[in-house]
Amino acid sequence: MHRRRGFKGIGYHYYIRKDGTVHLTRPIERIGAHARGWNSNSIGICYEGGLDCGGRPADTRTPEQRTSLRLLVGQLLTQFPGSRVCGHRDLSPDLNRNGEVEPEEWIKACPCFDVQAEFGTPSTT
Ligand SMILES: [Zn+2]
């Protein structure tokens, strides 16, 4: 999808296939093109899927993808201690400024699961 949209290469750094294979799609030293405003200091991970059969956003991760994602995030946190792990949707603007990005404020739904709950990183707010 990113290639079609004219990005140079793939905007994310990691891509996790349904079978759990992790692809390094962009060298980590190269600034990502995945989250406007956050690209210069973030690492992007994308998983294959994310839409249900009706084309609606959904958490479609396979058990293999969950395992790989957990391992990868663990490795990255070792490499970059103290980093915040969050989902694309969590970077949406907090429109009503109540300190929480709520579902009605999401500019996109991905990654379709609660990253903070799953990876147990404390909220920055
Ligand atoms: Zn996304």
Side-chain angles (χ1 to χ4, degrees):
M1 185 190 84
H2 275 154
R3 278 195 195 283
R4 266 186 278 128
R5 281 166 55 190
F7 286 113
K8 207 161 190 267
I10 291 173
Y12 301 98
H13 296 93
Y14 293 99
Y15 185 67
I16 305 179
R17 305 296 296 260
K18 287 179 179 158
D19 67 3
T21 327
V22 178
H23 295 266
L24 179 64
T25 46
R26 192 180 186 91
I28 251 181
E29 313 75 51
R30 261 186 78 198
I31 288 179
H34 53 93
R36 186 189 290 198
W38 300 87
N39 286 322
S40 59
N41 56 0
S42 67
I43 294 169
I45 303 172
C46 183
Y47 69 90
E48 183 182 10
L51 293 178
D52 67 15
C53 51
R56 288 172 296 261
D59 183 0
T60 59
R61 287 173 299 160
T62 64
E64 291 81 5
Q65 281 176 314
R66 287 170 186 266
T67 305
S68 296
L69 183 61
R70 183 156 291 282
L71 285 171
L72 176 58
V73 170
Q75 284 166 10
L76 290 171
L77 282 174
T78 309
Q79 209 177 335
F80 303 99
S83 296
R84 172 186 175 202
V85 185
C86 67
H88 227 156
R89 68 188 189 188
D90 303 316
L91 300 175
S92 306
D94 179 16
L95 295 176
N96 63 6
R97 297 167 190 276
N98 70 345
E100 202 186 322
V101 178
E102 291 145 316
E104 60 272 18
E105 294 169 328
W106 292 343
I107 49 174
K108 39 176 33 179
C110 62
C112 309
F113 67 95
D114 189 341
V115 175
Q116 252 125 235
E118 189 160 327
F119 290 95
T121 45
S123 161
T124 51
T125 51

